[in-house]
Amino acid sequence: MNFYRTTRLMLSSAAFFSLAGSAFALDGADLLKKLNAAYAAQGGTISADSVDIDGTTATLKNVSVKSAGGESLAVGEVTFSGVEEDEDGGYYIEEAAFPDIDTTKDGVTVTAQELTVGGISIPATPGGDTLDTMMLYETAHTGPLKVVKDGAELFSVLESDVNLTLREDESGFDFDGAFKSMKADLSKAEDPQSKDAIEKLALQHIQGDITMKGAWELAPGTIDISEFAFDFTNIGKLNLGFKISGYTMPFVKSLQDAMKQSEANPNKEESQQALGLAMLGLMQQLSFEAAQVRFEDASITKRALDYAGAQQNISGKQMADSLKAMTPIMLAQLNIPELQNAVSAAVNTFLDDPKSLTVKAAPEKPVPFPTIVGAAMGAPNTLPQVLGVKVTAND
């Protein structure tokens, strides 16, 4: 008797857990629908022949992606692992793994491996102007990428990583990225003039990294790119930075809406004109806060002076002296005496001992973009003062 009771209890329990498992199983169709809706908010579409579910893993078959204004791109099989449905009906994906790329066109083969995106948040209702309506990700990674032509490797990247971190108080994001160990082979240049320049400048094989770092404050819409650096061995490091405000969530929503309307208009010429006008209107919401361009020399300047001088049958030092003499003459045409003196002094210092050259723009308070446009059109010689431009060398 006890045996039968125990058996019935086990069967009942098995049935319960089976029903419970079915109730909480992932809905592949709903996942794809909400993923597509989130991507559509940016003007693109995602399609898949089917979605297979195995526990918390979803496999999308024959995926193709179409970006706003672009052509459809066949991706293949995409695997989502660690998929969870949120209480509000959205989804969180621990990692999305994409198939390796191996494509050849016109004798050029492009390969890429280890393509993943991590920490993807898919909103239940996308298209709004708040964080919970945006599709976000936390990490993106690629392994080795190569471009090969006729058996020779022209370009490669060892790996790349991008990280996006939401602050605890959700006031903004911090982000950084790196393309590591980039290599380019320029020795195969066919044009005689280009080939000569590459050899004289010792640029046959270049190697370096690209890094970036920044932040986005959501309320004021302040985007601060503190680093966007191109650092190449035996060439130098070029670092670009800028800071603007007004790039708020509502601004992003308006930008996406304008792009979607343009894409939906079958008259492409008319749609481009409408998009251009919309962009001009949106630009009025932005303000300029700061910018910087800094170059740190790693021997390329001397080679460039030697090469340029050789073209005129003079030495590199004579070429540098010629540039120092020409700089104030050229700047005099701009009618900006204060900036002219600063630029001339910086150029002289840099050419005498090439270390670094920096151009900064830092106005006392944010300058609306329409003000910048107006100054550029009406009185361009006032722009350096409006933007607080300064030029220095070897600092």
Side-chain angles (χ1 to χ4, degrees):
M1 194 71 174
N2 289 334
F3 171 76
Y4 290 112
R5 288 177 179 173
T6 302
T7 301
R8 285 200 304 270
L9 179 60
M10 292 175 63
L11 291 174
S12 298
S13 299
F16 171 78
F17 285 115
S18 176
L19 289 171
S22 298
F24 293 103
L26 291 173
D27 185 338
D30 185 63
L31 172 63
L32 179 60
K33 177 183 177 182
K34 288 176 178 174
L35 173 65
N36 209 342
Y39 193 58
Q42 303 173 20
T45 57
I46 298 175
S47 63
D49 289 352
S50 62
V51 182
D52 295 343
I53 301 296
D54 182 8
T56 60
T57 299
T59 304
L60 282 62
K61 305 286 187 178
N62 294 327
V63 176
S64 61
V65 178
K66 184 178 182 299
S67 59
E71 297 181 356
S72 181
L73 173 66
V75 176
E77 184 175 291
V78 179
T79 302
F80 293 161
S81 57
V83 183
E84 299 177 0
E85 185 174 5
D86 299 332
E87 294 180 359
D88 61 359
Y91 290 90
Y92 178 82
I93 302 171
E94 188 174 302
E95 183 181 84
F98 299 84
D100 292 346
I101 296 173
D102 189 346
T103 179
T104 300
K105 185 176 182 180
D106 297 331
V108 178
T109 299
V110 178
T111 60
Q113 302 172 346
E114 302 170 17
L115 310 176
T116 60
V117 178
I120 305 171
S121 298
I122 301 175
T125 307
D129 55 11
T130 57
L131 274 180
D132 57 1
T133 65
M134 290 184 66
M135 182 167 66
L136 303 172
Y137 69 93
E138 297 170 2
T139 63
H141 171 80
T142 67
L145 182 150
K146 296 180 180 180
V147 178
V148 177
K149 181 179 181 182
D150 299 328
E153 185 179 296
L154 302 181
F155 177 80
S156 67
V157 180
L158 180 62
E159 65 177 349
S160 68
D161 289 285
V162 176
N163 303 292
L164 183 68
T165 304
L166 177 64
R167 296 174 182 173
E168 290 187 7
D169 60 1
E170 297 191 356
S171 64
F173 296 93
D174 295 296
F175 51 87
D176 62 82
F179 293 83
K180 303 173 185 176
S181 190
M182 299 179 62
K183 297 180 181 180
D185 183 356
L186 306 182
S187 64
K188 304 297 189 296
E190 297 178 356
D191 178 65
Q193 188 173 357
S194 298
K195 189 176 184 66
D196 180 64
I198 290 170
E199 291 177 352
K200 296 291 177 55
L201 295 172
L203 298 177
Q204 298 95 325
H205 301 278
I206 61 176
Q207 178 176 341
D209 304 323
I210 296 178
T211 56
M212 70 174 299
K213 187 179 296 183
W216 181 20
E217 294 278 354
L218 297 178
T222 301
I223 292 184
D224 184 1
I225 305 297
S226 57
E227 177 183 318
F228 190 13
F230 303 78
D231 191 357
F232 290 91
T233 305
N234 296 325
I235 297 177
K237 181 178 181 180
L238 178 65
N239 188 19
L240 312 175
F242 68 88
K243 186 177 182 181
I244 63 172
S245 57
Y247 198 87
T248 61
M249 292 290 293
F251 179 90
V252 173
K253 176 64 166 55
S254 298
L255 186 63
Q256 292 175 344
D257 289 344
M259 294 180 68
K260 284 193 293 184
Q261 290 176 9
S262 175
E263 179 67 14
N265 190 338
N267 187 326
K268 294 306 175 184
E269 182 177 350
E270 183 181 287
S271 69
Q272 288 299 317
Q273 292 177 350
L275 181 61
L277 290 173
M279 291 298 183
L280 286 175
L282 288 171
M283 290 289 283
Q284 296 184 32
Q285 302 178 36
L286 302 178
S287 294
F288 174 86
E289 296 200 13
Q292 174 176 299
V293 179
R294 178 180 175 84
F295 176 69
E296 298 175 14
D297 182 69
S299 77
I300 187 64
T301 301
K302 183 181 184 306
R303 299 199 300 274
L305 289 171
D306 289 342
Y307 175 74
Q311 305 303 302
Q312 301 182 30
N313 297 316
I314 59 176
S315 68
K317 185 180 185 310
Q318 289 173 318
M319 187 67 202
D321 291 339
S322 175
L323 289 174
K324 288 191 289 184
M326 291 172 57
T327 299
I329 297 174
M330 296 174 63
L331 290 173
Q333 302 176 30
L334 301 177
N335 190 28
I336 316 172
E338 185 177 344
L339 184 62
Q340 173 185 326
N341 295 334
V343 172
S344 297
V347 169
N348 289 351
T349 300
F350 179 75
L351 292 177
D352 285 340
D353 182 19
K355 291 181 179 178
S356 68
L357 189 63
T358 306
V359 180
K360 289 184 180 180
E364 294 182 1
K365 59 182 181 179
V367 181
F369 271 56
T371 300
I372 298 174
V373 174
M377 296 177 64
N381 62 316
T382 66
L383 267 180
Q385 184 176 2
V386 170
L387 300 179
V389 178
K390 293 183 179 180
V391 183
T392 57
N394 298 350
D395 53 351

